[in-house]
Amino acid sequence: MEAYGGGSNAPDKPDKPDGPEGTDTADGAAGAGASVPPAGPGSLPRPRSSGGAERPADPAALPPAGTGPAASSGPADPSGPAAPSAPGTAPAPGTPAPGAAEGIAALSPLYQAGAALALAVVAVAVCVHLGMVFLHVAPSNTVSKEHGKAVDEWIYPEFEQNWKLFAPNPLQQNIGVQVRAETGSAGGDLRTTGWYDLSAQDGRAIEGNLLPSHTQQNELRRALDFYADTHDGDSRATGPRGALSEQYLRRIVVLRLDRAHAAGAGGRLERVQVRVRTINVPPPAWSGEKVSTTPAYRLLPWWAVPAGEAQGGVA
């Protein structure tokens, strides 16, 4: 058989379209070591440079000037300064400007002085309060003996401290405060009211209340504790604060009676009397402890109501 060669008997190659500048497209691709896929329907030919290299069809795809390989003289230094942002790029919302002051330093000098003064006043008040509470609960010492009156005036009655909740034997009694009054009418007639249970009134106000007031929870209880600590079993004052505790308790019950309109229309409160009822809390069934649940009463003396307090005011 006769082999095909480059002679005249070799089969003719199919005609191929000539590339730019007379270069055979297929031969050029084969010479570059790559095959060119056939163009699909409706596709545009890729532009080429004069040297045969492909160029991007879209000018926007070109890299910015100065960012190509020729612009870099070596590997980037990670410790060097960050590249500046492109001109016209706005910072993200909420980002402070470089070098801008923040916090109190951003305020004017006048406002800075006001903020520093307010912080100083709060710090001094906190330190004074903590010091007073410490002297109140600490064992007797030279400072508390010298300034005991000032400490008591600061603490009582709002900041009184006690440890009954943590006592080995907590309170196991329900103590109620009741009051009655002697009232005078416009015609000069006197009458005695029934007993008003002030503790029960506070209990009803607290029950079901997610945010009961400090007055409803503690005012009456602390006033009674104050009175009991400064009086003996016969209601005689045991110290210089006995008169103050009596006045404090009396004013509270007079205010409560005035709100309840105990004197009636046109009447006035002449005297009030406080009664303390104590009932033991029944022990649990498993304890086997036996206690009496019969109420015990302590009757305090009648107190005359000054004219300035008779209508619920403060003398």
Side-chain angles (χ1 to χ4, degrees), residues 176-200:
V177 178
Q178 302 172 344
V179 62
R180 64 179 177 179
E182 188 178 84
T183 64
S185 64
D189 297 331
L190 297 177
R191 72 178 183 90
T192 302
T193 66
W195 291 100
Y196 290 81
D197 196 335
L198 305 184
S199 297

Side-chain angles (χ1 to χ4, degrees), residues 16 23 49 66 72 173 207 211 280 288:
K16 303 171 187 176
T23 305
S49 63
S72 61
Q173 296 174 328
E207 185 177 3
L211 298 172
N280 292 320

